[in-house]
Amino acid sequence: MKTMAAGSFKTHCLAVMDEVLAKREAIVITKRGKPVVKIVPADQKDEIYGFHKGKVKIHGDIVGPILTPEEWGDLY
């Protein structure tokens, strides 16, 4: 995996992003020789929305209150 100093990344940011997209290879950005972040190509399957689609099943009412008004009265 290719590494790059943060200062160099700052200077060539857009070119680095184009390279990651074209080559589909990650690049690790370092600061004072230590890895800080990893730039990876974005994929459709890695989206956060819809990640659990088809994996989670809802049982019962997820909108309504958990306790009845009488039970709330005892807690209040």
Side-chain angles (χ1 to χ4, degrees):
M1 187 177 315
K2 182 177 177 181
T3 62
M4 174 181 283
S8 180
F9 175 72
K10 183 178 178 182
T11 305
H12 305 289
C13 178
L14 296 177
V16 171
M17 291 190 318
D18 289 340
E19 179 183 344
V20 168
L21 179 63
K23 293 184 178 179
R24 308 295 297 163
E25 293 178 1
I27 297 178
V28 174
I29 309 302
T30 61
K31 191 171 183 180
R32 295 186 182 100
K34 296 182 181 179
V36 178
V37 296
K38 186 189 300 184
I39 309 296
V40 297
D43 293 326
Q44 291 285 338
K45 63 181 180 178
D46 291 335
E47 291 291 326
I48 190 170
Y49 299 106
F51 179 73
H52 287 291
K53 186 175 183 179
K55 298 178 184 178
V56 177
K57 186 172 182 179
I58 298 173
H59 296 279
D61 184 7
I62 62 169
V63 179
I66 297 172
L67 303 175
T68 65
E70 293 78 26
E71 292 171 326
W72 272 109
D74 293 342
L75 296 175
Y76 192 66

